Amino acid sequence: MKNTRALRNAVRTTVVCALVACTSVIASSAHAHGAYLDRIEQRGPNELAIYVYSAAMDRVIEQDVLIPDGGSAGRPTAYLLIGAVAEGQDVDWPTKTDLLRFAPGTGVNVVIPHGGAATYYTDWQRDDPNLGRNKWTTYLTSELPGIIDAALRDSGRNAIVGLSMSSTSALALTETAPDLYEAVGAFSGCAETSTPLGQEYVKLTTEKGGGTVENMWGPLDGPGWPANDPLLHADRLRGHTIYISSGTGIPDGHDTLSDYRIDGDQNLLTTQIVEGGAIEFATSQCTRHLAARLSDLGIPALYRPHPGTHSWGYWQDDLHAFWPVMAAAIGA
């Protein structure tokens, strides 16, 4: 039995090392800023889990990682952020889109960090009683990328994609680290955080997740809100490949009982149409504001308004629309 277990572990280690650099190889280079690679686990032929210790947040964070056919070495990487779902809730890119089926054939590594629900993936001013310590800007710009680059032996060229809450985050992170991300996709979000509309959206999202919004950027009339407003700082997006989109809130092709995400559930469909329609109508206003701001600044952007509600079917459509543009931008 012991010999069988040892053989199984040896095979597993060999397979993982064939896909990515082994822990011992990268340990010496993975301690920048106190963060380090904790471990790598194989989940499937193209699927890994990479665990990274964040010194800024003093905890180990899991990343779902998809490796392209042929391995990760020399390939670019796309970071996909999730929205304001509850911790541990099985609602994300791999389960609600066809990402697992199409991404491995595109030559792009995919990294999906766990956690961050209701945090806007930003550095909070204070620890929160319910959401804990959140220093996501530090993690996603200073701690994680170097460790991923070493572990995957990738090309060092990156894109970032967000939806709903994390749409705002993807734009803000690109503005914070313009040399890190070359392409950004923002689906169904609200880029503005210091307008009444934007602040209400942030407040509702954060409080729904159990957080106290003032712990994030301070008082609503304080300087932290405009400082973190992607719309105000949209000039920092110049030189990037930008894709922004939002539905109108009017139900369309994915708002049906036959959609596999609905699976015949009338209550779920009603919620998607009523609540999802209202949310998407609000984000459509924000997205129009961002498109106009970028146009005024003379910054090219792909802007895709479309029918539909605030739901995964349309985000899958956006992912397919953005992917070839993103891949070209980062050299896939």
Side-chain angles (χ1 to χ4, degrees):
M1 181 65 71
K2 288 184 179 179
N3 290 337
T4 301
R5 185 181 300 114
L7 178 60
R8 185 184 301 117
N9 289 340
V11 170
R12 179 184 180 192
T13 300
T14 300
V15 172
V16 171
C17 288
L19 292 171
V20 300
C22 294
T23 304
S24 59
V25 175
I26 68 171
S28 60
S29 62
H31 287 266
H33 307 285
Y36 59 83
L37 175 67
D38 185 75
R39 65 190 187 277
I40 300 174
E41 297 176 356
Q42 185 185 4
R43 297 281 176 81
N46 296 87
E47 300 172 55
L48 303 173
I50 294 182
Y51 295 82
V52 172
Y53 172 75
S54 166
M57 291 187 277
D58 191 24
R59 65 178 184 266
V60 173
I61 296 172
E62 179 184 354
Q63 278 68 219
D64 290 333
V65 178
L66 302 182
I67 300 299
D69 297 333
S72 63
R75 306 297 185 93
T77 298
Y79 290 82
L80 272 59
L81 306 179
I82 61 174
V85 299
E87 187 68 25
Q89 187 175 349
D90 190 22
V91 179
D92 56 19
W93 294 103
T95 61
K96 295 299 181 181
T97 73
D98 60 353
L99 178 72
L100 295 177
R101 290 192 293 275
F102 85 85
T106 67
V108 177
N109 296 305
V110 177
V111 176
I112 307 172
H114 284 214
T119 69
Y120 275 83
Y121 292 100
T122 190
D123 282 1
W124 285 45
Q125 293 182 1
R126 294 182 296 274
D127 292 355
D128 189 83
N130 291 322
L131 300 182
R133 177 167 299 171
N134 292 290
K135 298 292 182 182
W136 287 96
T137 297
T138 298
Y139 181 68
L140 291 169
T141 61
S142 300
E143 295 183 328
L144 180 64
I147 293 172
I148 290 294
D149 290 348
L152 301 184
R153 294 174 293 183
D154 63 20
S155 68
R157 302 183 66 181
N158 306 305
I160 189 165
V161 182
L163 58 86
S164 190
M165 176 203 77
S166 66
S167 170
T168 309
S169 311
L171 294 164
L173 289 162
T174 303
E175 293 174 355
T176 298
D179 294 331
L180 179 60
Y181 308 109
E182 298 178 57
V184 56
F187 312 157
S188 300
C190 190
E192 55 203 77
T193 63
S194 58
T195 65
L197 172 63
Q199 287 188 331
E200 186 62 24
Y201 192 86
V202 174
K203 188 170 183 289
L204 288 171
T205 301
T206 303
E207 291 181 349
K208 184 178 180 180
T212 301
V213 74
E214 288 80 5
N215 289 331
M216 184 164 61
W217 295 323
L220 294 177
D221 58 353
W225 291 78
N228 288 280
D229 190 324
L231 184 69
L232 291 182
H233 305 290
D235 57 299
R236 299 176 186 171
L237 295 173
R238 192 180 303 277
H240 294 81
T241 296
I242 305 166
Y243 176 101
I244 56 176
S245 68
S246 184
T248 59
I250 299 172
D252 201 55
H254 293 295
D255 301 298
T256 65
L257 289 171
S258 60
D259 188 287
Y260 79 88
R261 304 164 192 87
I262 298 295
D263 194 26
D265 188 328
Q266 183 61 57
N267 290 332
L268 183 57
L269 177 61
T270 300
T271 299
Q272 180 168 302
I273 290 174
V274 176
E275 294 184 11
I279 293 171
E280 199 69 0
F281 176 75
T283 66
S284 70
Q285 297 181 64
C286 294
T287 306
R288 283 199 302 272
H289 295 165
L290 177 59
R293 171 74 169 151
L294 292 170
S295 178
D296 290 343
L297 291 170
I299 298 176
L302 297 171
Y303 170 40
R304 179 177 174 262
H306 57 82
T309 60
H310 200 74
S311 51
W312 278 100
Y314 303 102
W315 298 329
Q316 176 175 288
D317 293 345
D318 281 321
L319 195 63
H320 280 276
F322 178 51
W323 201 272
V325 179
M326 175 198 76
I330 59 179

